[in-house]
Amino acid sequence: GEDVEQSLFLSVREGDSSVINCTYTDSSSTYLYWYKQEPGAGLQLLTYIFSNMDMKQDQRLTVLLNKKDKHLSLRIADTQTGDSAIYFCAESWDTGRRALTFGSGTRLQVQP
Amino acid sequence: DAGVTQSPTHLIKTRGQQVTLRCSPKSGHDTVSWYQQALGQGPQFIFQYYEEEERQRGNFPDRFSGHQFPNYSSELNVNALLLGDSALYLCASSLGLEQPQHFGDGTRLSIL
C-alpha cells in the first residue's frame, strides 16, 4: 500500500537552511513532489523529481531522493519569513493523470 | 494566464443537504482531479476526470460524484451531507502524462 510520512513541525531562524524530510513506502512510485500551503490557500507546486534522479536543484530549493531508504528531503537555503507555511510531500505513479498521495504536512516556522 | 479557479470559496450547509462545487482548470489543461482536505491533514484523492469520464477514484462513497464538461471544467457533487464532510475541497488540473498537477485555492465547506 501507499503511505507518506512527515514530521509535524520545524522551526528555524531567518537566513538559516531548512530541511524537511519525508518517507514513503510505495516502491513503485515514479514521481515525488513538494507542495507549499499558506494559511487559507490552496497548494502551490514547488518542485518535483523523477524516481530515476538523485537530486534536483531549483534556485533556493534542493530535493534529495534516496530510493534505497525511500527517503525524500527538501532543503530551503537562506530561509525567509515568507517561507513559513505547511509543506506537503506527495507521490504518484506518473505526473498528470494519476492520483497524488500526500503526507500530513510539515509546518515550517521561520523566526526573525 | 489564469490558474485553477474554484467556486464558491466558502459554503455552509446542513446535514442531509446536497452541494455542488465547481472548478475551471488552468488554461490548456484537460484533466481535473478533486481532493478533500480535512483540518490538519493532507489532501485525500476523491476522483479524476479526463475526456469527460471518471478515470480513477479514491476511497470515497457513492455520495460523492462528479462531472466534466466539454470545456474541461468540472463539478463535484456531494449528496446527503454528513458532519464529517466538512473540509477544504481542492481541485487540481494537469495536461497529459508529463505535467504535474496544479491546485486551486479550494472551497471551504462547513456542515452544521
Side-chain angles (χ1 to χ4, degrees):
Chain A
E2 301 173 347
D3 194 13
V4 179
E5 295 186 354
Q6 300 179 239
S7 53
L8 290 179
F9 184 76
L10 176 65
S11 180
V12 301
R13 290 202 174 275
E14 191 173 20
D16 289 348
S17 292
S18 306
V19 179
I20 302 171
N21 295 301
C22 168
T23 59
Y24 60 99
T25 59
D26 190 344
S27 60
S28 60
S29 294
T30 307
Y31 294 88
L32 295 133
Y33 306 82
W34 285 103
Y35 284 89
K36 174 184 179 182
Q37 187 174 37
E38 298 185 67
L43 275 65
Q44 174 192 353
L45 175 67
L46 291 177
T47 187
Y48 61 102
I49 189 169
F50 301 164
S51 60
N52 62 356
M53 298 169 63
D54 297 325
M55 185 183 84
K56 181 179 180 181
Q57 187 156 3
D58 184 2
Q59 298 183 333
R60 292 191 298 123
L61 305 178
T62 302
V63 179
L64 295 178
L65 176 60
N66 181 329
K67 287 183 64 178
K68 175 176 173 290
D69 295 334
K70 297 186 180 65
H71 184 264
L72 182 75
S73 68
L74 173 69
R75 178 178 181 270
I76 306 172
D78 187 25
T79 312
Q80 303 297 307
T81 55
D83 295 324
S84 293
I86 300 176
Y87 291 79
F88 289 96
C89 166
E91 61 176 351
S92 78
W93 294 329
D94 66 41
T95 52
R97 300 208 182 104
R98 291 294 182 267
L100 295 173
T101 300
F102 286 87
S104 295
T106 298
R107 179 177 296 277
L108 174 64
Q109 181 181 72
V110 182
Q111 298 178 350
Chain B
D1 181 19
V4 179
T5 58
Q6 294 187 241
S7 63
T9 54
H10 295 86
L11 204 50
I12 299 174
K13 292 285 187 179
T14 57
R15 282 180 297 173
Q17 285 189 311
Q18 178 264 344
V19 70
T20 298
L21 310 181
R22 295 176 175 82
C23 171
S24 292
K26 185 174 179 173
S27 178
H29 285 189
D30 60 3
T31 302
V32 172
S33 304
W34 287 93
Y35 294 80
Q36 179 194 66
Q37 185 179 20
L39 199 61
Q41 301 293 320
Q44 298 289 317
F45 174 73
I46 303 175
F47 43 54
Q48 183 180 76
Y49 278 83
Y50 170 64
E51 291 186 333
E52 301 180 49
E53 290 187 11
E54 183 182 295
R55 300 290 177 164
Q56 260 195 298
R57 189 178 182 92
N59 189 25
F60 279 80
D62 292 344
R63 298 186 298 109
F64 290 77
S65 64
H67 188 77
Q68 186 181 34
F69 299 93
N71 66 353
Y72 307 118
S73 67
S74 177
E75 289 182 349
L76 164 65
N77 301 293
V78 187
N79 295 321
L81 287 165
L82 304 173
L83 292 178
D85 295 332
S86 294
L88 179 68
Y89 288 84
L90 295 162
C91 172
S93 72
S94 59
L95 172 63
L97 295 174
E98 297 300 318
Q99 298 301 315
Q101 296 183 25
H102 294 260
F103 285 79
D105 285 338
T107 294
R108 173 73 62 187
L109 176 63
S110 299
I111 311 300
L112 303 179

